[in-house]
Amino acid sequence: MSFELASCLLTLFVLAGIGTPIGYSIMLASIVYLGVAGLDVALAGEKILQGFYRSTILLAVPLFIVAANIMNAGSITDRLLNFCVAAVGRFKGGLGHVNVVASLIFSGMSGSAVADAAGIGKIIIEMMTKDNRYSRGYAAAITAASATIGPIIPPSIPMVLYALVSKASIGSLFLAGILPGLIMGAVLMAMNYYLASKRNFALEEPVPLKELPRKTANAFPALLMPAILLYGIYGGVTTPTEAAAVAAFYALLLAAFFYRALTLRGLFQVFIDSARSSAAVGMVIGGAFILNFIVIQEQIPQSISAMLEGADVSPIMFLIMVNLLILVLGCILDATTIILVIVPLFIPTCEALGIDLVHFGVLVVVNSMIGLITPPYGILLFVLNAVTDIPLREIIAEIWAFLAVLIGALLVLLFAPDLVLWLPRLFGYQG
């Protein structure tokens, strides 16, 4: 390791360790590298401008954030929850199943795990803990676990970012996320059923089946969004970025005109919140552009590839090692940082070993999402703690069972690439 790179990493870890936002930490550490290496510090601004200018796909990120915030503000979430209660609330562990199914549906609109947890989290937790039907920790834990599905089923902000660093097809990534997302939902519902039976959680009063068509019709316009997105991309009507704009516009039409639940004041607040969230993500992306220049300058991908080729590592062993690393990093780093800073180091090796980049991308995103609920950091645990005031220790005590089944699902996806790639291949993907 060169002295310049060591200075960069030391600055990065020190700044992050004292609580500096990760975007600022990466930028300042990169500027330290440029200064110590005797390079023009103005390179930092140049790389940021070049990166954003060449990456029109990044426009999808703020648009998906706007769509999710409009969904939250426009009562659409409430209508979806009523539909889920009518559909699966009658079974053992009913509200736990409602929690997971609501996340599966909401994931087709938000693209963000945090938006999912914050959007439906507080509402469903209040439903579950009413009259002590479920413990507070259990309700928060299954909410956090189900929110990890959000960025797996399209649309997906992390997959947009992965497409940026890997040049993989964003449409194929979106399709490849559908089955893994359903598998994650299935294992969470199975664990919820087991725990509900073991602990004898109270059964919900079933909604009469005759009311199901009415509740379905009420939620149907919102349920159409994922279908509109995928048809737009694969029907050749829109690019992924244009599909994100369509999603935001469709959410606005539903909330403001169809359901009439969004005022001008509410819309203004949506834009403010979306701008703040987009700026936070943009800071990390901007820092990653400079850091990627440093990685190339130091020839780190070539060094990793040479080391692995010398060790004669098989593709499956490489995937296992990388996923173990991401699982560990997920305990302390957020998904955006992992995808933009860590993952690009492994892309050249994936190509050299013949690993499909769409399969690798799905594994990375699923793994990064599991990191969001992994103690001690687990950002989703902190989000739910903040919005519900449930003590963190109660949430962590209940999260382990759900964490275990999600890791089991990840292993299935790792060893069965054909399962992940089946749907993209059905639509013409050649990987």
Side-chain angles (χ1 to χ4, degrees):
M1 183 185 297
S2 67
F3 176 71
E4 294 87 348
L5 183 59
S7 301
C8 174
L9 294 177
L10 180 63
T11 305
L12 175 60
F13 291 136
V14 169
L15 289 174
I18 62 175
T20 307
I22 190 67
Y24 293 117
S25 300
I26 295 172
M27 286 189 179
L28 290 171
S30 301
I31 290 171
V32 166
Y33 173 90
L34 296 174
V36 174
L39 299 171
D40 189 348
V41 176
L43 268 173
E46 181 186 340
K47 294 301 174 185
I48 292 174
L49 289 174
Q50 286 178 350
F52 280 113
Y53 181 74
R54 293 171 180 170
S55 306
T56 55
I57 194 172
L58 286 178
L59 285 172
V61 175
L63 291 169
F64 281 137
I65 290 173
V66 168
N69 287 341
I70 291 174
M71 288 283 183
N72 288 341
S75 83
I76 295 172
T77 301
D78 297 336
R79 299 172 194 275
L80 292 175
L81 278 177
N82 289 334
F83 165 73
C84 294
V85 169
V88 296
R90 67 188 70 248
F91 304 112
K92 190 70 175 177
L95 285 181
H97 296 319
V98 168
N99 199 321
V100 177
V101 173
S103 288
L104 282 167
I105 295 172
F106 199 74
S107 68
M109 302 164 199
S110 69
S112 164
V114 174
D116 194 345
I120 64 172
K122 190 172 184 179
I123 302 170
I124 191 69
I125 287 172
E126 287 175 355
M127 290 170 61
M128 292 181 71
T129 55
K130 187 178 179 181
D131 300 327
N132 294 317
R133 286 179 288 186
Y134 295 79
S135 68
R136 296 185 305 173
Y138 184 89
I142 192 171
T143 301
S146 65
T148 61
I149 302 170
I152 311 303
I153 293 179
S156 167
I157 292 172
M159 284 186 182
V160 171
L161 299 179
Y162 174 80
L164 170 70
V165 300
S166 69
K167 304 296 187 292
S169 163
I170 184 65
S172 296
L173 283 165
F174 278 5
L175 279 176
I178 294 175
L179 275 180
L182 294 176
I183 290 170
M184 292 169 69
V187 298
L188 289 175
M189 291 178 76
M191 178 55 73
N192 173 66
Y193 181 84
Y194 169 76
L195 292 175
S197 301
K198 184 178 179 182
R199 302 183 189 182
N200 198 30
F201 288 142
L203 281 169
E204 309 306 314
E205 185 175 342
V207 174
L209 287 175
K210 65 181 181 181
E211 291 188 22
L212 186 56
R214 180 177 61 83
K215 293 184 181 293
T216 303
N218 201 17
F220 185 73
L223 296 172
L224 275 179
M225 183 182 283
I228 292 172
L229 280 172
L230 289 175
Y231 174 76
I233 295 171
Y234 272 89
V237 181
T238 64
T239 66
T241 304
E242 290 165 348
V246 170
F249 182 66
Y250 183 70
L252 180 60
L253 285 179
L254 286 185
F257 300 106
F258 189 82
Y259 292 132
R260 299 189 178 185
L262 185 65
T263 63
L264 280 175
R265 182 185 294 273
L267 182 61
F268 181 69
Q269 189 59 46
V270 163
F271 287 151
I272 291 175
D273 293 341
S274 301
R276 286 173 176 163
S277 299
S278 300
V281 175
M283 288 296 298
V284 179
I285 295 172
F289 285 139
I290 317 172
L291 203 56
N292 287 343
F293 165 75
I294 294 172
V295 166
I296 294 169
Q297 186 83 359
E298 291 287 324
Q299 296 187 327
I300 293 175
Q302 293 90 329
S303 300
I304 293 174
S305 295
M307 181 181 67
L308 290 172
E309 286 171 10
D312 193 26
V313 176
S314 66
I316 197 70
M317 185 54 64
F318 171 77
L319 285 176
I320 291 171
M321 290 191 298
V322 171
N323 277 276
L324 284 173
L325 175 64
I326 294 176
L327 271 177
V328 173
L329 290 175
C331 300
I332 53 175
L333 295 176
D334 64 279
T336 301
T337 305
I338 291 173
I339 292 169
L340 292 175
V341 178
I342 307 299
V343 170
L345 300 176
F346 302 115
I347 298 298
T349 308
C350 284
E351 293 174 330
L353 292 175
I355 295 170
D356 186 87
L357 290 184
V358 171
H359 178 226
F360 184 67
V362 171
L363 293 179
V364 164
V365 174
V366 171
N367 209 329
S368 300
M369 292 307 103
I370 292 174
L372 294 179
I373 62 169
T374 305
Y377 184 62
I379 186 65
L380 284 181
L381 307 182
F382 288 96
V383 167
L384 288 172
N385 167 254
V387 299
T388 64
D389 291 326
I390 297 173
L392 204 57
R393 64 178 181 276
E394 293 184 23
I395 305 175
I396 292 175
E398 296 281 8
I399 200 66
W400 299 107
F402 300 113
L403 190 58
V405 294
L406 287 176
I407 292 175
L410 174 64
L411 290 173
V412 170
L413 301 176
L414 192 155
F415 289 106
D418 290 339
L419 186 65
V420 177
L421 298 174
W422 174 74
L423 202 50
R425 286 171 178 165
L426 199 62
F427 282 81
Y429 177 64
Q430 299 300 315

